[in-house]
Amino acid sequence: MLTVHHLNNSRSQRVLWLLEELGVPYEIVRYQRQPDMRAPKELRAIHPLGKSPVVTDNGHTIAESGAILEYIIATYGNGRLIPPADTPERLRYTYWLHYAEGSAMTPLLLKLLFTLMPKRAPALLRPLVRKVSNTALSTLVNPQLKQHMAYWEGELGKSEWFAGSEFSGADIQMSFPLEAAAARGGLEDGHPKCVAFLERIHARPAYARALEKGGPYQVGR
C-alpha cells in the first residue's frame, strides 16, 4: 500500500488531498516538526534530504511534490485529474505543475525569511538586520510577489481552474503558493479570482477529508 510520510503543516498535505480526490487507499506515517520548525532526523531514514513530502510505494521512494503528483496520477489516476495528451490544457497542466515550486515559491520563501530574520537576530544586531530585511522586502521580494499574484489573477480570468475548465492536479499543486500568499503576501488585496479559487478548493469534500487525516494546517488558513 502507498505510504505518505507526512510532516505536520507542510506540503505533504497536498499529497493527502490528491489521494482523497482519487480515492486511493494509503497509510500515513506521521512526523512532527521540531521547535525550530525543521523536519525531524527520522525522515532522513526515508530520504537522504530528510524533507517532506515523501511517499513509498511498490519499492519506490518518491520525493518532491510535483514528482509525487505525477507518479500518483499516472499510476492510480486512470485518466482522472489530468487533461488529455496533446491538448493546450495538458501543456498548461504541465507548466503549472512545475511552476508552483520552480518559480512561485521563491518570493514567498524569501518573504518568510526576511520577515523572520529581525525577530531571530541577536538584540544588538536587530536594528541592522531589520533595516537590511526591510530593504530586501521593499526593493526585491514584494515587487516580485506582486507580479506573481497579478499573473495568477490574470490566468484565473481565462478559466476557472489553472489548466482549463476542469479541476486537475495542477490546482492541487498550485494550492500551496496561493495559500502561502494569502497567509503572508496580501493575496486578498486586489486578487478576487485568486481568493475565489481558494474558496472553491477549500469547499471540496476531499480537501476537508485530507485536513481531517493530516491534522492542523496553518498555511493560508
Side-chain angles (χ1 to χ4, degrees):
M1 181 179 291
L2 188 149
T3 300
V4 180
H5 297 270
H6 176 61
L7 180 66
N8 65 302
N9 199 29
S10 76
R11 289 166 169 83
S12 61
Q13 188 65 39
R14 285 184 297 196
V15 179
L16 302 182
W17 177 20
L18 171 64
L19 292 167
E20 290 294 331
E21 289 281 358
L22 293 174
V24 177
Y26 63 95
E27 295 177 343
I28 302 177
V29 178
R30 301 179 186 276
Y31 304 82
Q32 292 295 313
R33 291 184 182 275
Q34 301 175 103
D36 61 3
M37 295 305 292
R38 294 181 180 178
K41 62 182 180 180
E42 287 80 8
L43 263 174
R44 290 197 214 102
I46 309 302
H47 188 277
L49 294 181
K51 295 183 179 181
S52 180
V54 177
V55 302
T56 50
D57 187 41
N58 292 324
H60 304 296
T61 300
I62 307 106
E64 294 294 338
S65 300
I68 291 170
L69 263 67
E70 286 196 81
Y71 172 80
I72 291 173
I73 290 173
T75 306
Y76 299 103
N78 294 318
R80 293 171 293 168
L81 299 186
I82 184 170
D86 301 319
T87 63
E89 290 78 11
R90 182 63 164 267
L91 185 59
R92 289 182 68 186
Y93 167 90
T94 302
Y95 169 77
W96 291 113
L97 208 64
H98 293 275
Y99 164 89
E101 293 291 337
S103 295
M105 285 306 299
T106 300
L108 288 160
L109 290 172
L110 289 173
K111 176 90 171 179
L112 178 62
L113 174 64
F114 285 117
T115 301
L116 290 177
M117 279 175 58
K119 300 176 183 178
R120 299 187 177 183
L124 290 175
L125 295 177
R126 200 164 295 153
L128 176 61
V129 174
R130 183 178 294 111
K131 183 177 181 180
V132 171
S133 296
N134 288 342
T135 299
L137 286 169
S138 62
T139 62
L140 175 65
V141 178
N142 289 339
Q144 285 192 19
L145 184 52
K146 288 180 180 179
Q147 185 178 18
H148 281 275
M149 291 190 295
Y151 176 45
W152 307 337
E153 185 73 9
E155 291 298 305
L156 288 172
K158 299 176 182 178
S159 59
E160 184 178 14
W161 301 106
F162 275 101
S165 60
E166 301 292 330
F167 175 80
S168 74
D171 301 296
I172 294 175
Q173 182 75 335
M174 282 297 296
S175 66
F176 196 88
L178 268 74
E179 290 187 318
R184 56 179 177 264
L187 185 70
E188 71 285 350
D189 183 15
H191 306 95
K193 291 181 175 60
C194 291
V195 173
F197 169 84
L198 290 178
E199 291 172 349
R200 288 196 299 275
I201 66 172
H202 293 164
R204 295 183 71 85
Y207 186 97
R209 292 195 301 271
L211 279 181
E212 291 175 3
K213 294 184 179 180
Y217 179 60
Q218 299 301 321
V219 177
R221 300 189 65 79

